[in-house]
Amino acid sequence: MRRGMVFGMLLALGGLAAVKAQQPPADAPKVIDVEKVKDNLFVLRNGGGNTAVFVTATGVVVVDAKNPGWGTPILNKIKELTPKPVTMLINTHTHGDHVSGNVEFPATIDFVAQENTKANMEKMPIFKEHNNVGMAKRTFKDRMTIGKGADQIDLYYFGRGHTNGDAWVVFPSLRIVHAGDIFASKSVPLIDEANGGSMLEISGTLMKAYNGIKNVDTIINGHTPAQTTWADLKEYADFNKELADWMQAELKAGKTPEQAAAEWKLPEKYKGYSATVGALFGGLAGRIATLQKEMKK
């Protein structure tokens, strides 16, 4: 019983652990690498999650703002790309390696997030310490459209996965979407139970996105060094469905999450996927334990 309570407490602290584990040393040089995806769309890498910079006719829209201390380097890098001012920051989800840089952005710009993500962000100390600078001013439930024509951005929410507020940020004119960490990379998914994530539902959520978003070719993922394709999203949804089905079968066979995790092997057909699972959110055993609790509801 005591062991289970301790494990549950560790999972509850998963969001905080994720932030700390993904932060580089504070005194490390803050070097941002830039990839030009389109003439008016750039991806900024390093310092946390991948940041998108969308240059519109009237200003710059930023998607995700990395770890603490990286907001100013993002803003400085944008000045090298365009003279236009930053007018909006959209967050894909609540984690510190995607939202902490918000507090360094001008308080006058528009901050946008899915409504559950705003609720999760309101629990984060960094926003309380900065008088809520960078907190979402506008939210959406299932869908929101911002702008029009070549500058249009469509925001979607399809359900629980990495968290309970994962936004899909679509640039229709470019046929590109920023998926955040619900599709962080080709690997076992990161499931933040404390912030509403679901191992049981993520595959269905991914399929809803695949079927619900039209005319997209390219995905900016949360943490990959290069973009993935729309076909990769279908494959990733299938991977998660098979993984969850395997987990349920192992649990129904009477195995503990730890026993099942020790036996898991990456299916050979998923070439290019990571065969290792990091310690975040309890590792693979933590994902299985999360699903186990979901099965009992």
Side-chain angles (χ1 to χ4, degrees), residues 154-226:
D154 292 329
L155 305 179
Y156 295 86
Y157 173 72
F158 291 102
R160 297 166 64 208
H162 177 54
T163 68
N164 64 355
D166 302 308
W168 300 74
V169 184
V170 181
F171 308 103
S173 65
L174 305 180
R175 302 177 67 92
I176 294 173
V177 60
H178 193 317
D181 281 0
I182 193 167
F183 187 6
S185 61
K186 291 185 176 184
S187 59
V188 169
L190 294 166
I191 304 296
D192 182 1
E193 181 187 359
N195 281 304
S198 173
M199 187 67 233
L200 190 62
E201 296 180 24
I202 187 170
S203 63
T205 299
L206 291 165
M207 277 305 300
K208 288 177 183 177
Y210 178 77
N211 292 321
I213 300 174
K214 306 300 182 182
N215 303 314
V216 166
D217 303 316
T218 304
I219 301 170
I220 299 170
N221 306 85
H223 290 274
T224 54

Side-chain angles (χ1 to χ4, degrees), residues 18-287:
V19 173
K20 290 184 176 180
Q22 296 184 43
Q23 287 183 15
D27 57 350
K30 292 180 173 58
V31 178
I32 291 179
D33 293 333
V34 178
E35 179 183 354
K36 182 178 180 180
V37 183
K38 298 287 185 179
D39 286 344
N40 62 333
L41 182 68
F42 305 84
V43 176
L44 310 187
R45 306 192 194 280
N46 301 331
N50 288 327
T51 296
V53 174
F54 183 49
V55 183
T56 74
T58 57
V60 177
V61 178
V62 178
V63 182
D64 284 346
K66 304 188 183 296
N67 275 307
W70 283 80
T72 298
I74 290 171
L75 292 168
N76 290 339
K77 184 59 68 173
I78 291 172
K79 291 176 182 177
E80 297 176 14
L81 302 174
T82 176
K84 293 181 179 181
V86 172
T87 57
M88 182 182 298
L89 174 55
I90 301 169
N91 290 121
T92 59
H93 64 290
T94 189
H95 289 143
D97 58 324
H98 292 258
V99 306
S100 295
N102 285 29
V103 301
E104 298 169 52
F105 278 64
T108 53
I109 73 169
D110 200 4
F111 294 89
V112 181
Q114 201 274 342
E115 61 185 18
N116 296 330
T117 289
K118 180 180 181 180
N120 292 332
M121 290 168 65
E122 287 173 338
K123 297 180 289 185
M124 297 176 68
I126 192 166
F127 293 105
K128 297 175 183 177
E129 294 164 0
H130 290 83
N131 297 315
N132 268 346
V133 171
M135 180 58 63
K137 298 176 183 178
R138 282 201 287 167
T139 63
F140 70 100
K141 183 176 182 180
D142 299 312
R143 182 171 179 179
M144 174 189 285
T145 294
I146 299 168
K148 59 184 178 180
D151 294 340
Q152 181 171 321
I153 300 171
D154 292 329
L155 305 179
Y156 295 86
Y157 173 72
F158 291 102
R160 297 166 64 208
H162 177 54
T163 68
N164 64 355
D166 302 308
W168 300 74
V169 184
V170 181
F171 308 103
S173 65
L174 305 180
R175 302 177 67 92
I176 294 173
V177 60
H178 193 317
D181 281 0
I182 193 167
F183 187 6
S185 61
K186 291 185 176 184
S187 59
V188 169
L190 294 166
I191 304 296
D192 182 1
E193 181 187 359
N195 281 304
S198 173
M199 187 67 233
L200 190 62
E201 296 180 24
I202 187 170
S203 63
T205 299
L206 291 165
M207 277 305 300
K208 288 177 183 177
Y210 178 77
N211 292 321
I213 300 174
K214 306 300 182 182
N215 303 314
V216 166
D217 303 316
T218 304
I219 301 170
I220 299 170
N221 306 85
H223 290 274
T224 54
Q227 282 67 254
T228 56
T229 68
W230 200 241
D232 288 328
L233 175 58
K234 173 61 166 61
E235 180 186 64
Y236 190 60
D238 292 341
F239 169 78
N240 277 274
K241 176 67 166 59
E242 292 175 20
L243 178 61
D245 287 347
W246 170 84
M247 289 178 177
Q248 292 181 78
E250 293 291 287
L251 291 168
K252 289 176 181 178
K255 295 178 183 176
T256 66
E258 293 79 8
Q259 289 171 335
E263 297 175 4
W264 181 74
K265 292 182 180 179
L266 177 70
E268 290 186 5
K269 66 179 179 178
Y270 291 108
K271 303 292 184 182
Y273 279 62
S274 175
T276 60
V277 184
L280 281 178
F281 305 115
L284 183 57
R287 315 299 203 277

